[in-house]
Amino acid sequence: MGLLSDPNRRRALTSLVTRLNTPLCVLCYLVGVSWFMGLAFEPFMLRTYMSENAMGSTMVEEKFVFGERAISYTREFAGQKKKTGGMPVDWLVKTMKSRGLEVYTQSFSQTLPFPDEVKERYMVRGTNVYGILRAPRGPRTESIVLSAPCSEGNNNNQAVGLLLAIASYFRSQIYWAKDIIFLVNEHDLIGTEAWLEAYHDVNMTGLRSSPMQGRAGAIQAALSLELSSDVITSMDVALEGLNGQLPNLDLVNLFYAFCQKTGVLCTIQGKLQRNDWDTLPGYTHSLSTMLLMVLKQGSGHPQGDHGLFLRYHIEAVTMRGINSFRQYKFDMTTVGKLIEGMFRKLNNLLERFHQSYFFYLMPSLTRFVSIGYYMPAFGFLALILVLRAGPVGSAERPCQSTGGWGQRRRAGDIQHFPVSETEAVVLTAIAIYVAGLALPHNTHRVLSGAGTERGWRSLKLFSLLYLAVLLGCTTLINFSLGFILAVTMIPVAAFIQPHRSSKVLHGVALILVSPATTLLLSIYLYHELIEYPVSLLECWQHFLTAVSQGILDHHLYGSLLYPLIALFIYPCWLQFWNIVFWK
Amino acid sequence: MAARRLLSWYLTVFTLLCLFCYRITVATDEIEVCTSRFWFNYRHVANTLSVYRSVKRLGIPDSHIVLMLADDMACNHRNPKPATVFSHKNMELNVYGDDVEVDYRGYEVTVENFLRVLTGRLPPSTPRSKRLLSDDRSNILIYMTAWWNFYNVILRLLFGQRKLKQLIGENLSSKPIASWNITISVEKRYNELLFIIDTCQGASMYERFYSPNVMALASSQIGEDSLSHQPDLAIGVHLMDRYTFYLLEFLEDIHPASQANMNDLFKVCPKSLCVSTPGHRIDLFQRNPRSVLITDFFGSVRKVEITTETVKLIPNITEKNEKLTEEVMLTEPQKYVQQMPVAEIIHQSIQMCWTQHSNANGHYQKWSQPFKIKYD
């Protein structure tokens, strides 16, 4: 008879699990965490490879030589930007038209729920300018996008200059099978979101925009460029998109292949590759690269303009030029050649990227960890919850119980207190959070079965299962977020009990793993990894900014982190808090 | 009267001469198939077209060639040189040319159409250019290139293999398959057949042949991959496969009166150049390969019918006709121009690569006016 259908064996199994419960849980946790740490160890990783046949193994000889032209466009653009005090729409339209593109503009406006203190904007109004290079012999059904943001001050002028130089060079070639859209967007992410929504004729975030007049067919891939200096020492690639979505690995491989070909130094997470994987510093280097990616992906914030394209199944990456203190510099011509090579390869595509991985982690640019390798790490952690829930469930009969409930409030005008709107919103959120801590004092009056042993056990069973399902679903979509929450919450959740003596200890442990503290610690870890350590006060400032950004991201781009934490994770955490203070 | 006698004398002499210049009447038909689509399979189309060009140069007319190309590379949007297909890098040799005739193109290249061409079971409305007009005295050359999955299906259908239901998912009993096997030989559609295939694991294609008088050549053995030759950095794709590249070089040295035999063909592309091991199969062939000329399959001799009868002209010829014939006789004799000086170009290009490597522009200029037709 089978292991689970035979009652004798099942009893034996259950008794074994009940007896060895604690050691098994500890073992699972250690295995899960060490599995995750082991992912960064080079022999366990796979080398990256191009999966898409259509992009081919041969490369073309790049013939872009107009670096000087790019610099002159940069100077003009900078001058015009200063003159108009914002985006020089007319100059851009005129220049693109003279280069032979079909130029269109799109104006948009958006009102934030409260002022954004990081970027200092509240009511945003802007214009996107985009020029379409029609394929001379193509059927105009597919297109590729090259975008450069128009930022304030002196940022990203070179990106726009290079975009214009590339546009004029591409215009004279006849081998384009897809249309190319050159997009200059204002207010970075908001502008990109406005353009994408109007292009695909959807309205997800309540943006108001003028109707889009020119289209170029389905977008197959997009490249976002950020360059702020005439010469660069390295190119950094940003992958993480909205809600932790990643572009297809083939696009990253393409970027790396062309960096190798043109000889440009390329980095990921700002870190160069190392060859000494068998030494401890080498291992910690790849581990820190991977942890940075995990933290950025877990935040759900798009790390570049490309992040918003991913939602529409358009594979996109952001390439950032970095000018550091190295001696060897690369000029605009080299960057132009890099982009030209990538575009010629993208031109050969017959279908959207689909051959390579969509879920992966990258400890370095040449190594990757696919979903099949990193999922077991989470699997072991989820196993702890199942192990804990098993004995509890088999010994009890389920009874009625309700969980905690959290609420989300929109900020209104608070004029009576001398705080800014942003701070008001953030502090209100935190206040609700803290107020929730007082919930146990009231729940026991409402719940049936209060004050009994069975009451809290059934609540714990329910909470454990709820947490398991929640974290499982989150991990499927955004592994990093799920794993971070799992690593912090699961051990404490598994061992929580309402003992009178150790109530304070359990309470403190639970607070330490609450979503807010996890966020605080993640910010601290992030700053440690980018070698820019912060003090506690700065960390607190960053924390407040992160909360406000989370709310704004949700409102502006549809990010799901804040609703998930507020509506699902936090109530689950409150249930465990109730267990601790069970009377 | 005098002219009439002259003419009849000419005819008698001609027929007598023919008795002494007796040649074997052999017509060659040719089928070339490329089944790969998409831009990155440029080299398969270039393979097929280069064999097509060689064969035309050696004398086979378009009416005897069935060319099947599954995709259009010359007019692909990604081709930086539209209306050309190159087989040598640096764009030395345009195998597409001006007078290519593609009989089956695009989605018409299917297993069914290939089999119908071979067996002749085409609907009556099919034009002559899409038919294989062979008889029992024709030699047929079949050249195929592309990815081997396509051929796996066809050749099992054609020359062996009873268990086909799982291969193509249709309900075929073994009887029609077996009947196809012998259709070609029983209906006497060919005298001798040479089969060349350039694909991975090519030898698996001719393993199952059992029809008589078939000789087969493949670019690689089972378990080996056939590799591509050289990429062109301006076009961005591989231009040819290795086996066909060296086959083309070999064929460039063949002219219509060449005496090279099949043993020389078997030596084309040894393992050191091809990386894969080319194979051949001669056990089904009746003649000794040493006695088989390359031009038996790759070249064509026009049919010459010898007769010992004399032809009498009609007695009532008017004076007007006599004048016309006189005028016709006065014009200069015409001759065919040399089609493509390919051998020259290949040999010169190898030298050019070593000497003029730096001056890329000059190199291009030299070959920008390649093949002027000389009218002299």
Side-chain angles (χ1 to χ4, degrees):
Chain A
M1 285 242 264
L3 194 63
L4 290 176
S5 52
D6 179 8
N8 286 332
R9 285 200 194 159
R10 192 167 56 196
R11 222 174 293 134
L13 188 67
T14 320
S15 69
L16 182 76
V17 170
T18 321
R19 244 193 357 230
L20 294 176
N21 207 312
T22 315
L24 268 177
C25 287
V26 172
L27 185 68
C28 279
Y29 187 75
L30 288 173
V31 170
V33 173
S34 49
W35 186 293
F36 179 75
M37 303 295 247
L39 290 173
F41 191 50
E42 189 148 316
F44 297 157
M45 296 188 266
L46 292 168
R47 277 198 86 91
T48 52
Y49 55 93
M50 287 293 276
S51 305
E52 177 70 59
N53 248 343
M55 290 213 288
S57 54
T58 53
M59 303 212 199
V60 290
E61 207 174 312
E62 296 93 9
K63 297 197 180 77
F64 182 77
V65 290
F66 305 112
E68 301 305 319
R69 213 187 275 183
I71 306 257
S72 69
Y73 279 131
T74 308
R75 304 281 179 259
E76 279 185 50
F77 179 70
Q80 292 287 331
K81 198 161 77 166
K82 209 172 283 184
K83 203 163 72 172
T84 55
M87 176 130 139
V89 175
D90 295 323
W91 178 82
L92 272 171
V93 168
K94 194 171 61 96
T95 318
M96 282 192 183
K97 265 211 181 105
S98 70
R99 299 270 69 86
L101 308 176
E102 270 179 42
V103 192
Y104 302 98
T105 57
Q106 179 219 2
S107 48
F108 60 92
S109 67
Q110 166 78 296
T111 312
L112 277 64
F114 51 88
D116 182 358
E117 285 193 343
V118 175
K119 298 211 175 84
E120 286 159 16
R121 53 190 182 192
Y122 179 45
M123 285 176 57
V124 174
R125 212 180 290 270
T127 319
N128 292 332
V129 178
Y130 61 104
I132 304 180
L133 188 150
R134 299 285 183 189
R137 295 173 284 147
R140 303 186 178 188
T141 49
E142 295 171 347
S143 54
I144 325 173
V145 174
L146 178 65
S147 88
C150 170
S151 313
E152 279 145 37
N154 272 335
N155 296 328
N156 288 327
N157 290 339
Q158 279 78 2
V160 177
L162 187 59
L163 180 135
L164 292 169
I166 287 180
S168 69
Y169 171 69
F170 280 0
R171 184 72 181 82
S172 55
Q173 308 303 320
I174 60 167
Y175 45 67
W176 298 113
K178 304 185 204 293
D179 296 344
I180 305 182
I181 304 179
F182 296 95
L183 169 68
V184 181
N185 53 311
E186 202 177 353
H187 300 295
D188 43 88
L189 284 173
I190 300 184
T192 317
E193 181 66 25
W195 190 80
L196 281 169
E197 281 193 3
Y199 194 89
H200 293 95
D201 210 11
V202 294
N203 196 349
M204 283 189 291
T205 58
L207 269 165
R208 284 184 301 278
S209 103
S210 61
M212 180 147 286
Q213 279 154 347
R215 285 191 172 82
I219 305 178
Q220 307 288 89
L223 221 58
S224 180
L225 195 57
E226 287 179 24
L227 271 179
S228 302
S229 54
D230 282 350
V231 288
I232 59 165
T233 54
S234 61
M235 269 318 242
D236 190 45
V237 66
L239 303 177
E240 301 81 10
L242 188 65
N243 294 327
Q245 204 175 351
L246 296 170
N248 196 294
L249 193 57
D250 265 339
L251 194 52
V252 187
N253 298 338
L254 184 70
F255 168 77
Y256 181 69
F258 274 98
C259 276
Q260 293 283 83
K261 182 160 191 254
T262 50
V264 177
L265 265 181
C266 45
T267 61
I268 187 168
Q269 317 296 346
K271 290 184 191 280
L272 267 179
Q273 220 174 309
R274 281 169 75 136
N275 285 335
D276 54 344
W277 55 266
D278 46 352
T279 61
L280 188 62
Y283 169 72
T284 46
H285 182 87
S286 28
L287 182 66
S288 63
T289 315
M290 195 173 77
L291 277 178
L292 272 171
M293 179 167 177
V294 164
L295 287 172
K296 284 186 182 169
Q297 192 185 5
S299 74
H301 183 72
Q303 299 297 319
D305 286 356
H306 73 287
L308 298 170
F309 282 89
L310 297 171
R311 194 167 28 185
Y312 299 89
H313 202 180
I314 301 169
E315 309 309 323
V317 286
T318 297
M319 299 189 337
R320 257 179 216 125
I322 297 179
N323 194 8
S324 65
F325 299 110
R326 272 173 205 279
Q327 262 197 324
Y328 197 78
K329 311 262 185 197
F330 302 97
D331 61 346
M332 284 282 157
T333 312
T334 321
V335 182
K337 281 194 174 146
L338 176 69
I339 298 178
E340 181 200 352
M342 288 183 75
F343 265 74
R344 279 205 76 172
K345 282 284 174 183
L346 291 173
N347 185 39
N348 287 350
L349 276 180
L350 297 150
E351 302 161 302
R352 287 177 203 261
F353 281 108
H354 66 282
Q355 300 276 11
S356 191
Y357 299 92
F358 287 100
F359 296 98
Y360 52 90
L361 290 176
M362 293 198 85
S364 79
L365 262 180
T366 50
R367 299 276 189 272
F368 76 102
V369 184
S370 72
I371 186 171
Y373 285 95
Y374 66 56
M375 252 335 170
F378 175 77
F380 281 110
L381 295 180
L383 193 60
I384 298 176
L385 291 176
V386 174
L387 282 175
R388 279 314 249 186
V392 178
S394 64
E396 298 295 324
R397 272 203 329 250
C399 66
Q400 292 271 333
S401 67
T402 56
W405 187 249
Q407 280 184 12
R408 174 170 164 261
R409 291 240 179 90
R410 288 275 304 260
D413 253 349
I414 301 177
Q415 286 160 344
H416 302 290
F417 299 97
V419 289
S420 68
E421 284 193 36
T422 321
E423 280 180 22
V425 169
V426 172
L427 292 175
T428 312
I430 296 176
I432 294 173
Y433 177 86
V434 171
L437 296 182
L439 202 59
H441 293 286
N442 303 315
T443 45
H444 76 277
R445 287 189 210 138
V446 183
L447 283 178
S448 62
T452 63
E453 179 80 0
R454 245 176 51 186
W456 75 262
R457 281 195 189 275
S458 51
L459 180 62
K460 183 166 178 188
L461 169 68
F462 175 76
S463 310
L464 284 174
L465 291 175
Y466 178 55
L467 185 67
V469 167
L470 192 61
L471 287 180
C473 295
T474 312
T475 308
L476 282 175
I477 301 170
N478 189 346
F479 167 77
S480 306
L481 181 62
F483 191 77
I484 292 171
L485 290 171
V487 155
T488 49
M489 286 185 78
I490 285 182
V492 177
F495 293 104
I496 212 100
Q497 280 178 33
H499 278 167
R500 209 157 290 169
S501 52
S502 53
K503 204 180 284 191
V504 176
L505 189 67
H506 281 245
V508 166
L510 201 56
I511 288 184
L512 274 178
V513 300
S514 67
T517 330
T518 311
L519 179 59
L520 201 67
L521 289 173
S522 308
I523 294 172
Y524 187 73
L525 180 64
Y526 174 76
H527 282 275
E528 283 292 324
L529 287 171
I530 59 173
E531 289 156 23
Y532 196 68
V534 289
S535 64
L536 196 60
L537 191 63
E538 283 172 14
C539 204
W540 175 253
Q541 296 283 355
H542 284 296
F543 171 75
L544 293 177
T545 317
V547 175
S548 68
Q549 286 297 310
I551 303 173
L552 278 175
D553 273 359
H554 169 66
H555 189 264
L556 288 174
Y557 322 120
S559 164
L560 295 173
L561 179 69
Y562 187 77
L564 180 77
I565 303 279
L567 289 176
F568 294 99
I569 304 283
Y570 179 60
C572 190
W573 182 85
L574 272 183
Q575 289 173 17
F576 289 107
W577 184 255
N578 269 326
I579 295 174
V580 171
F581 291 99
W582 195 265
K583 289 206 178 56
Chain B
M1 279 295 286
R4 201 172 3 125
R5 236 181 269 152
L6 198 64
L7 203 55
S8 61
W9 186 81
Y10 264 128
L11 284 167
T12 330
V13 167
F14 182 65
T15 48
L16 285 172
L17 276 174
C18 285
L19 283 172
F20 296 109
C21 345
Y22 181 83
R23 280 189 289 185
I24 301 172
T25 61
V26 164
T28 317
D29 296 283
E30 165 115 16
I31 306 179
E32 275 140 4
V33 182
C34 160
T35 55
S36 300
R37 293 195 185 105
F38 311 136
W39 174 245
F40 59 92
N41 288 322
Y42 185 100
R43 62 184 190 278
H44 295 142
V45 171
N47 287 350
T48 317
L49 282 171
S50 42
V51 173
Y52 171 78
R53 300 307 292 185
S54 308
V55 146
K56 268 183 83 162
R57 188 179 58 83
L58 290 171
I60 304 187
D62 272 314
S63 54
H64 282 258
I65 303 179
V66 175
L67 178 62
M68 303 171 132
L69 296 178
D71 201 358
D72 182 11
M73 296 304 165
C75 299
N76 193 308
H77 310 309
R78 295 165 181 84
N79 196 345
K81 301 271 176 201
T84 59
V85 173
F86 292 106
S87 66
H88 287 68
K89 67 175 178 195
N90 296 330
M91 298 179 220
E92 288 154 10
L93 181 55
N94 173 19
V95 289
Y96 204 64
D98 298 327
D99 56 349
V100 61
E101 278 183 28
V102 183
D103 304 304
Y104 286 85
R105 57 177 67 97
Y107 289 107
E108 291 171 355
V109 180
T110 57
V111 179
E112 190 195 338
N113 280 344
F114 176 69
L115 292 170
R116 285 189 182 281
V117 164
L118 271 181
T119 53
R121 293 179 190 180
L122 291 158
S125 56
T126 318
R128 281 173 72 83
S129 62
K130 285 190 163 176
R131 286 176 192 267
L132 182 66
L133 305 162
S134 63
D135 55 18
D136 62 326
R137 282 179 306 175
S138 322
N139 295 345
I140 300 187
L141 166 68
I142 303 182
Y143 173 84
M144 306 175 101
T145 181
W147 300 92
W148 76 295
N149 302 331
F150 181 80
Y151 299 113
N152 216 0
V153 175
I154 307 177
L155 291 151
R156 291 185 186 204
L157 263 176
L158 203 53
F159 292 121
Q161 195 70 359
R162 314 283 162 129
K163 285 185 238 174
L164 279 163
K165 288 185 194 176
Q166 57 265 45
L167 272 177
I168 56 177
E170 290 177 39
N171 284 328
L172 282 175
S173 65
S174 55
K175 261 196 188 163
I177 301 164
S179 70
W180 264 345
N181 289 333
I182 50 175
T183 292
I184 293 185
S185 54
V186 163
E187 288 181 15
K188 301 220 185 303
R189 285 179 64 77
Y190 71 96
N191 177 27
E192 289 167 346
L193 196 144
L194 174 63
F195 179 81
I196 306 182
I197 185 157
D198 185 353
T199 175
C200 301
Q201 311 190 35
S204 66
M205 296 300 148
Y206 60 61
E207 265 187 336
R208 298 182 190 273
F209 287 2
Y210 62 79
S211 308
N213 262 340
V214 172
M215 184 165 13
L217 275 139
S219 63
S220 56
Q221 300 296 326
I222 297 180
E224 282 182 345
D225 288 335
S226 263
L227 301 175
S228 54
H229 186 65
Q230 45 182 331
D232 181 285
L233 290 174
I235 303 180
V237 284
H238 285 276
L239 294 181
M240 285 272 265
D241 283 333
R242 279 173 192 257
Y243 183 75
T244 312
F245 181 80
Y246 292 108
L247 180 69
L248 176 65
E249 278 200 2
F250 172 76
L251 288 175
E252 288 319 313
D253 290 334
I254 308 287
H255 54 86
S258 164
Q259 295 296 310
N261 57 37
M262 280 297 158
N263 278 342
D264 301 324
L265 191 62
F266 296 153
K267 289 192 207 122
V268 161
C269 209
K271 186 158 179 155
S272 53
L273 289 172
C274 254
V275 186
S276 59
T277 320
H280 56 270
R281 186 173 171 184
I282 49 174
D283 56 320
L284 296 166
F285 206 71
Q286 280 168 4
R287 293 196 282 156
N288 187 353
R290 197 188 304 258
S291 64
V292 180
L293 295 177
I294 300 279
T295 48
D296 279 353
F297 287 102
F298 285 89
S300 171
V301 175
R302 299 283 192 274
K303 268 200 169 76
V304 177
E305 291 260 340
I306 290 119
T307 172
T308 52
E309 297 172 1
T310 53
V311 179
K312 277 227 156 138
L313 293 174
I314 305 165
N316 305 336
I317 294 175
T318 59
E319 282 201 4
K320 209 178 177 184
N321 283 345
E322 279 176 18
K323 273 191 198 156
L324 279 172
T325 49
E326 271 175 15
E327 277 169 30
V328 163
M329 297 281 279
L330 286 171
T331 54
E332 282 177 16
Q334 306 288 323
K335 66 176 182 212
Y336 282 104
V337 302
Q338 195 188 0
Q339 280 294 316
M340 288 194 335
V342 175
E344 253 179 84
I345 292 165
I346 294 178
H347 293 305
Q348 278 181 22
S349 73
I350 293 172
Q351 285 169 1
M352 291 284 286
C353 278
W354 287 106
T355 54
Q356 271 199 6
H357 194 66
S358 53
N359 191 2
N361 278 338
H363 194 84
Y364 285 171
Q365 262 174 12
K366 189 168 171 99
W367 301 119
S368 64
Q369 307 157 347
F371 313 121
K372 274 191 182 155
I373 299 180
K374 292 174 241 180
Y375 294 101
D376 44 358

